Amino acid sequence: MANTPQRADAAGSIYRLAAVAFGHPLAELQQALVDGSFHAAFNEPWHQVTGREWPRCEPSADFAALEAGYIDAFVHGRRGKPRISLLAGEYEHLLGGQTRPVFMLNIQAFYRHFGLHAATKDEGRAEEPDHVIDMLEFMAVLCHLEARALERDADPSPYRRAQRDFLQRYLVPLLNAIHHDLARQKALALDATLIRMLEDLPEWTRQQLAELEARVGPYADASASVSNRPRSVAQNLWN
C-alpha cells in the first residue's frame, strides 16, 4: 500500500474520523463508542497505514458524561475558557509573530486555493479556519485528491506537497500544542477515546510529514506558496 490510492484513502479516513471525534458530541457518537463501531471504523485505516492495531478505550458512562467532559476540556472548563484550546490562533507561539487575523487569512488561502469555503449553517456562524476540525477535514480532502490522481495514473506530487506544507506549517504544530496542554491537565473528564486520539495523532502526523518529505522533498518556505498547487473542483469543506 506504500504508493497506492488505498493508502491515501486510508490516511484521509483517519483525518476525517478524527475531525468527527473532535466535533461537539452527538448522541450518535456516544452510541458508536459504546457499540465499538467508531473504533472499528478508525482502526481499519489506522492498521492499513501504520501496521498496528489502535487500542479500544472504555467509553464514557453515557452521553451526558461524554458531552460534559468535552465542554469542560474544550469549551469553558476553567474560568470560562477551555482547558485545552482546539484553535491554533489561541496559541501565541504558533502565530510566528503574525496577528491572528493575518494567521487566519494565511490558513484560508490554502482552503480557497482548492475551492473550499467554510460552512455558515452551524449555529448561524462561520467555522473558525484555524480550528483543528477544519484542518483535519482539509487534510482529508487533500488525501482524497491524491488518491484520485493515483487512480488516473496522474502525478500526485502537487497534492502531496500541499499536505506536507500544511502539516508543517499548521496541523503538526497545533496537535503538538494540544498534546502539551493535555499533559498538563489534572482530573480531566474527557472521554478516553478522545484522549487516546490526542496522544496518538501528533506522532502519526509527524510520521506522515516525514513520509511526504521523503517522496516530494523537504519543506521550504519558498515552496509553500499556494500558487504552486493545483485547484480542485469547488466544494464545501465543512457541510
Side-chain angles (χ1 to χ4, degrees), residues 19-38:
V20 170
F22 291 118
H24 192 96
L26 300 174
E28 290 82 358
L29 175 61
Q30 171 67 10
Q31 182 59 40
L33 293 171
V34 170
D35 64 25
S37 56
F38 181 85

Side-chain angles (χ1 to χ4, degrees), residues 25-27 30 60-71 189:
L26 300 174
Q30 171 67 10
S60 298
D62 50 34
F63 174 66
L66 173 67
E67 186 175 37
Y70 181 96
I71 291 172

